[in-house]
Amino acid sequence: MSTPSRHRMSEQAAETAVVGACRMLRLPTIRAKFPDLAEQASREQMSYLSFLAELLLAECDDRARRRSERRIKAAAFPRQKSVREFDFDANPNIDPAVIHTLATSEWVKKAQPLCLIGDSGTGKFHCETHGWQLAVVAGR
């Protein structure tokens, strides 16, 4: 048995229906972004499938971001620091590529040790409190 076809809606009715459905389904990112993404899809002549994929990926990305923020908050780190805030100019001996590679946390997944050695004020605690302890929290 097929579902009954819906009557052609006006743009305003369709937008209202999408907002209502997103609220009911708890899809806040799609609700917030669909007008802009619909406009972009129209401009770029995206297929329906591509448009749907963009919407769903935006929702997934935002959920992952919010989940990470909740985990950081739940971890109750003494200070909130981010690898993005790391001041590489303060210590030119630190290779940014190495820090960014370590921030992917692949070394945690492979159960490899990490030892941070350096003088006071060189950024060891910054790396420890955010970038790498976070990897352990994210694995819970």
Side-chain angles (χ1 to χ4, degrees):
M1 181 175 187
S2 64
T3 59
S5 64
R6 305 219 182 235
H7 295 86
R8 186 167 170 88
M9 291 187 216
S10 69
E11 289 295 310
Q12 186 177 7
E15 192 167 320
T16 301
V18 169
V19 168
C22 286
R23 276 198 177 100
M24 184 184 302
L25 296 170
R26 295 183 176 99
L27 301 169
T29 305
I30 290 177
R31 187 177 73 230
K33 292 188 175 191
F34 87 88
D36 293 337
L37 287 174
E39 166 99 19
Q40 177 186 351
S42 179
R43 265 193 330 269
E44 297 176 8
Q45 298 179 340
M46 292 170 67
S47 70
Y48 294 122
L49 186 58
S50 294
F51 172 61
L52 178 60
E54 288 290 329
L55 283 173
L56 294 174
L57 289 172
E59 186 71 41
C60 291
D61 290 346
D62 198 45
R63 284 182 184 208
R65 181 190 55 77
R66 290 191 316 262
R67 186 171 37 254
S68 178
E69 288 172 358
R70 280 192 308 274
R71 288 177 173 164
I72 290 170
K73 187 175 180 178
F77 292 125
R79 289 182 228 147
Q80 294 266 334
K81 293 189 175 197
S82 167
V83 174
R84 288 182 295 271
E85 299 165 1
F86 193 87
D87 185 6
F88 292 102
D89 294 334
N91 189 342
N93 295 326
I94 296 176
D95 182 1
V98 171
I99 298 298
H100 292 297
T101 299
L102 290 172
T104 66
S105 303
E106 281 300 313
W107 61 275
V108 174
K109 295 172 190 168
K110 295 176 182 175
Q112 295 174 328
L114 176 66
C115 182
L116 301 174
I117 300 172
D119 292 332
S120 179
T122 57
K124 296 179 303 299
F125 188 72
H126 184 122
C127 292
E128 178 186 336
T129 58
H130 182 73
W132 300 311
Q133 282 185 6
L134 174 60
V136 174
V137 172
R140 283 187 186 167

